[in-house]
Each structure stands twice: as C-alpha cells, then as structure tokens.
C-alpha cells in the first residue's frame, strides 16, 4: 500500500497555481505590419473580445507535475505491506547463540514453535528464519557485531504490536547492557542464562620501564567484577609464565600457558619514552602541583617519562608528546606537539559547584571536588569540542578539540583558589587518564569482560496497557524517496528542453 509518512506536507502541491497564473498572463503581443498607404483601407466595425487563453500546454503540464512530485517527495513516500498476521508470537535469539540457547531451553522453544511462534534473529533487522534449518547446520563461527540489548529493544518496540508475545533469549553479560534502560510497550518474556566461561585473564598492556624491565598490566575478570594488577617481568626471551620475543625490531610478550587465560595473542611492548613539557609562564604554583602529580604517576607506573618545566618558549623541546601550556598567551604555531593542555582566558566567574569526571576503572561519574572559579566558555567553540571534565551543572570544565593536535581547553586553573582539585587524591588519577587515554586498549575489555548484571536490573520498564498508544500491525516499509528524486530530475530535464524549444520558435516565428 502506497502512503506518505507526513501527508500534511502534500498541501505544498497547491504551488501549481503559480505556473498556471504565469501561463494565463503570458499573452503574446500582436505584430505590427508596415503599409505604404491607408487610402484604400475602409474602416471596419469596432468589436472587443477579451479572453484568457492558456499557452504552451505541454510546458505547463510539465511544470505542474514537477511541483506535485516535489510535494510528494517532501511528504516522504513509502510502500507499506502488512506482514503475516496469523503468527502467535516471536522467538528472538542472537545468531551466534542459537545452538547454545537451544540446548538450554529446548523444551520451551519447541513448545513455542509448535504453537505457531516464528523465529527471528536478534539483530537490527530482526530477520525471520527457519529454526529447524539453522539447527541442522554447524554453528556459524563468524563473529557478529554486538549491539546493546536495550538498544535493540527500543527498535523492536516500534515494529511489534503491543499484545504480540515476544520471547527473548540472551545471556546476562554486563557488557551487552549499555545506554539507558528503555520504556517499552512489549508483551516481553525475557529468558536469561549464565555463560559457561566465567573467568578470564589477559595481558592488557605492556611497556618498558625506566630500569628496562617489562611492566605488564594484567586484567582479571569474573562475574563479580574486573580488576587490573601490575607485574614486572624480565626482558629476557624466556620467563616462567611469559614468552618475550623480538620481531622486526619490536618486542612482544605473551602467556606461555593459556589454560587459565583468555588469549595468548602476543602484545607489543611499548618502548617509547613519554616526553612531557610544562610551560608555567606566571603560573609557577600551578606548575608545581601538576609536576607533583606527574611524579606520582611515574613512581607508580614506572613508565619511561621525560618531563621538564620551563618559563621560556625557546626552552620548549621541538617535539613532545604533551605540552601543558599554563599561560593565557597564544601558543606559537611553530611548536610541534601531539597533545596540548591550554589555560583558557576570558571572564572569571565565581561559582559554588564541583568537578565531575569519569572514573575509568568503574566507568562511573565521580564528583565531590569543590570548584570555586571558572572561565566562562565561548559558546561557538563548544560546538566542536567534547567535554572530558564538567562542573556540577553539566558545563564543560575540560573540553577536547581535535585539530592537527588534540587540544584540551581548560576553563579553570590548577590553583587552590580556583578549586580543591590539586589537593584531592583523585588529581593524579585524572592526569593519568589524560596522559594515557590515547592508548584505547587500557579501557577496552570486550569479550574478556565476564561481569554479569542482576536479573532485577535487566528488565525494561513496561507501560501499563491503558497507557499504551495503539501501534500499527506488523508492516514492512520501503522508502520510495530515491524513485521520486529520479522522477523529479527527469521532469526537470524535459521541462528545460521543451522550454528552450518554445523560446526558439517564438524568436524565429
């Protein structure tokens, strides 16, 4: 069935009155004939006749059709076909989990399919498939993209009638429940099963230390939580638990025994030295607090660092990984840097708020550090930045702007008169997150994350039946906009051709 998503916009088709009026008033002027004498011309009876006559009917028709097609185009045309309404419900399982789920819930799934329930894959399209044929084939080893279960439920809620029973079978891995828990109007029966693999251990990162040993960040995950520990190992090719290898001038480390680990994939050892420069200008006190935090990070991580504090632009190294520009002066364009932390200048505003930032270990927002003064941000700049730290009102306190380098705009100061940030135990952690956030794998656990979510936290909020807005029946919609774009283009080309021919005939008679 052909219909429009926004039929009210079809009123724009009334614009065809414009070319009709133009054609009505497009009266051709009479021709003047020159004669030698009017002596032999007799006076004829005077008569007057007035009439409006449409000219160039084909051209008028093309222009009217073009306006009508454009009106239909902005009304979002689509073809809608109702799907099978005889089905009693849906069974939804992810493609990579079909065999596992069927082993656990065989009796329930068989009873549902025998009762007329149709099987659908749990993906963005909710593709219908034959469960019997799937079970006869080996398990597909191709890794499917992992979507948030809650996000998929939002899409499912828009496609399935409220009263149609939906049986959902998933695991309870925490990594699959991201975003906001949705409010839906589905007749949902969610079946949860625990994963057999409940423990994992892996090398998250490896780097050379200042004493030339290798420091490993080892991840451990279980249903109750994920944690990381540091362990130093020798850089020699052979160790008790780890294998160290050199390949093309690069160093790699991996587990020897994989029976209790998730992966024995070799991890490249980071052998670089992190070069940090602090330009203090007139903010020597601020620089001392920042320097103390970096010292604490270096002592704890044993990471190879080289940092200096300068108050002369000429003393800044030609290349550095991080430049903390604690100054309100403009940064010279000649300075080559990868990441720069900038003190913003502007109107100082007194506030009673707090510093809010994300704890990467717990993936939660932390606040509580008192904030006294801020620099009023420039609204035009905020559109191209991402907030890293915020104040208690949600305004950006540290915003990242991606240019040739990563520029961090700081709308406060490292000074106790501006906030209690530098006195807080969280300050070194916040600086650590800045220095190492380019190493994305520090915060990516993916399949190794074995944490689970409690059943009471999984279920989305279900609207009461009396508050549910009636939804349409199951339908398959196809957008027809591209066909109308093509038709509009054809009409426009034909109209231009006919119009040019009409002008030539008018000129040459």
């Amino acid at each position: 069935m052909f219909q429009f998503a926004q039929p009210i916009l079809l009123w724009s088709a009334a614009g065809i009155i414009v070319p009709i009026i133009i054609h009505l008033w497009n009266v051709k002027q009479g021709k003047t004939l020159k004669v030698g004498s009017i002596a032999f011309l007799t006076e004829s009876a005077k008569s007057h006749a007035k009439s409006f006559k449409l000219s160039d009917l084909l051209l008028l028709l093309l222009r009217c059709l073009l306006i009508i097609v454009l009106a239909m185009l902005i009304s979002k045309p689509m073809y809608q076909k109702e799907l099978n309404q005889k089905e009693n419900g849906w069974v939804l399982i992810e493609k990579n989990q079909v065999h596992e789920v069927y082993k656990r819930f065989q009796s329930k799934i068989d009873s549902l399919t025998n009762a007329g329930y149709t099987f659908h894959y749990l993906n963005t399209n909710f593709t219908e498939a034959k469960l019997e044929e799937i079970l006869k084939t080996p398990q597909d080893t191709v890794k499917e993209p992992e979507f948030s279960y809650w996000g998929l439920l939002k899409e499912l809620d828009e496609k399935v009638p409220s009263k149609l029973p939906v049986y959902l079978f998933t695991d309870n891995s925490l990594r699959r429940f991201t975003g906001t828990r949705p409010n839906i109007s589905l007749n949902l029966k969610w079946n949860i099963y625990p994963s057999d693999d409940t423990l994992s251990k892996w090398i998250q990162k490896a780097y050379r230390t200042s004493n030339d040993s290798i420091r490993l960040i080892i991840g451990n995950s279980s249903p109750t939580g994920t944690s990381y520990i540091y362990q130093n190992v020798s850089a020699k090719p052979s160790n008790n638990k780890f294998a160290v290898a050199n390949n093309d001038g690069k160093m790699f480390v991996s587990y020897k025994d994989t029976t209790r680990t998730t992966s024995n994939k070799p991890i490249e050892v980071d052998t670089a030295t992190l070069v940090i420069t602090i330009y203090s200008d007139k903010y020597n006190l601020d620089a001392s607090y920042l320097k103390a935090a970096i010292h604490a990070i270096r002592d704890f991580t044993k990471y190879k660092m080289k940092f200096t504090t300068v108050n002369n632009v000429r003393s800044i190294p030609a290349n550095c990984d991080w430049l903390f520009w604690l100054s309100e002066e403009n940064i010279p364009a000649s300075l080559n840097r990868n990441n720069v932390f900038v003190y913003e200048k502007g109107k100082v505003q007194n506030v009673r708020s707090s510093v809010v930032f994300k704890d990467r270990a717990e993936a939660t927002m932390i606040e509580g550090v008192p904030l006294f003064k801020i620099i009023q941000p420039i609204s035009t700049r905020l559109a191209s930045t991402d907030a890293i730290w915020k104040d208690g009102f949600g305004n950006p306190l540290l915003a990242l702007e991606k240019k040739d380098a990563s520029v961090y705009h700081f709308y406060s100061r490292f000074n106790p008169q501006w906030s209690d940030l530098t006195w807080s135990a969280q300050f070194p952690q916040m600086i650590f997150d800045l220095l190492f956030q380019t190493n994305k794998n520090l915060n990516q656990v993916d399949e190794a994350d074995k944490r689970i979510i409690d059943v009471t936290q999984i279920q989305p909020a279900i609207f009461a039946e009396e508050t549910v807005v009636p939804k349409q029946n199951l339908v398959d919609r196809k957008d027809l906009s591209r066909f109308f774009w093509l038709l509009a283009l054809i009409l426009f080309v034909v109209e231009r051709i006919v119009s040019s021919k009409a002008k030539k005939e008018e000129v040459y008679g």
Side-chain angles (χ1 to χ4, degrees), residues 44-100:
S44 60
K46 295 181 179 180
S47 62
H48 300 277
K50 293 183 179 180
S51 65
F52 289 102
K53 187 176 181 181
L54 289 172
S55 60
D56 298 325
L57 290 179
L58 178 59
L59 189 59
L60 173 62
L61 178 62
L62 288 171
R63 289 171 176 171
C64 290
L65 284 176
L66 181 59
I67 293 175
I68 293 173
V69 169
L70 291 176
M72 297 173 71
L73 182 61
I74 64 176
S75 300
K76 297 183 178 180
M78 63 177 61
Y79 179 76
Q80 179 171 291
K81 181 177 68 173
E82 291 191 5
L83 301 178
N84 182 17
Q85 298 297 310
K86 296 181 180 179
E87 58 188 359
N88 295 324
W90 280 19
V91 175
L92 289 156
I93 307 173
E94 280 193 285
K95 190 172 184 179
N96 289 341
Q97 298 180 359
V98 174
H99 290 74
E100 175 69 19

Side-chain angles (χ1 to χ4, degrees), residues 279-284 286 310-311 313 324-332 340-349 373-376 378 381 408-415 418:
Y279 176 66
S280 60
D281 197 16
K282 61 181 180 180
Y283 295 97
N284 293 323
D286 301 40
V310 299
N311 20 11
V313 176
F324 286 87
W325 187 262
L326 309 187
S327 173
E328 296 180 357
E329 301 295 329
N330 294 328
I331 303 176
V340 58
F341 186 102
V342 181
Y343 268 6
E344 287 297 310
K345 58 182 178 181
K347 182 180 179 181
V348 179
Q349 181 178 352
K373 295 181 181 181
I374 62 171
I375 299 293
Q376 190 67 36
I378 301 175
R381 175 177 291 172
Y408 296 82
H409 302 275
F410 188 45
Y411 297 98
S412 188
R413 300 289 184 264
F414 293 144
N415 189 301
W418 288 68

Side-chain angles (χ1 to χ4, degrees), residues 350-446:
N350 295 323
V351 296
R352 296 185 64 181
S353 185
S354 58
V355 181
V356 182
F357 70 102
K358 188 173 184 179
D359 184 350
R360 305 182 68 194
E362 299 294 336
T364 56
M365 300 305 292
I366 295 178
E367 62 176 305
V369 180
L371 180 65
F372 312 127
K373 295 181 181 181
I374 62 171
I375 299 293
Q376 190 67 36
I378 301 175
S379 57
T380 55
R381 175 177 291 172
L382 295 179
S384 60
T385 61
D386 296 322
I388 308 298
W389 304 341
K390 299 180 180 180
D391 63 16
F393 302 104
N395 301 315
L397 192 63
L398 178 67
L400 170 61
E401 181 181 15
K402 289 286 188 179
K403 292 183 176 179
D404 296 335
S406 296
V407 182
Y408 296 82
H409 302 275
F410 188 45
Y411 297 98
S412 188
R413 300 289 184 264
F414 293 144
N415 189 301
Q417 294 182 357
W418 288 68
S419 72
D420 285 348
L421 183 61
T422 53
W423 288 351
S424 170
Q426 298 166 351
F427 183 52
Q429 178 187 342
M430 297 170 70
I431 300 301
F432 173 85
D433 290 344
L434 281 182
L435 296 179
F436 295 99
Q437 67 178 336
T438 53
N439 301 315
K440 301 291 185 181
N441 59 350
L442 279 176
N443 201 33
Q444 293 180 348
V445 182
D446 300 329

Side-chain angles (χ1 to χ4, degrees), residues 286-349:
D286 301 40
S288 64
Y289 286 111
L290 179 59
K291 186 177 179 180
I294 296 175
H295 269 296
I297 294 170
R298 185 183 63 177
D299 294 342
F300 175 74
T301 63
K302 307 300 181 184
Y303 203 94
K304 295 175 68 175
M305 294 184 183
K306 179 182 179 181
F307 66 91
T308 55
T309 302
V310 299
N311 20 11
N312 190 327
V313 176
R314 297 178 181 177
S315 302
I316 298 176
N319 293 284
C320 59
D321 299 302
W322 273 91
L323 172 60
F324 286 87
W325 187 262
L326 309 187
S327 173
E328 296 180 357
E329 301 295 329
N330 294 328
I331 303 176
S334 58
L335 290 179
N336 185 13
R337 71 275 182 192
N338 296 324
N339 303 277
V340 58
F341 186 102
V342 181
Y343 268 6
E344 287 297 310
K345 58 182 178 181
K347 182 180 179 181
V348 179
Q349 181 178 352

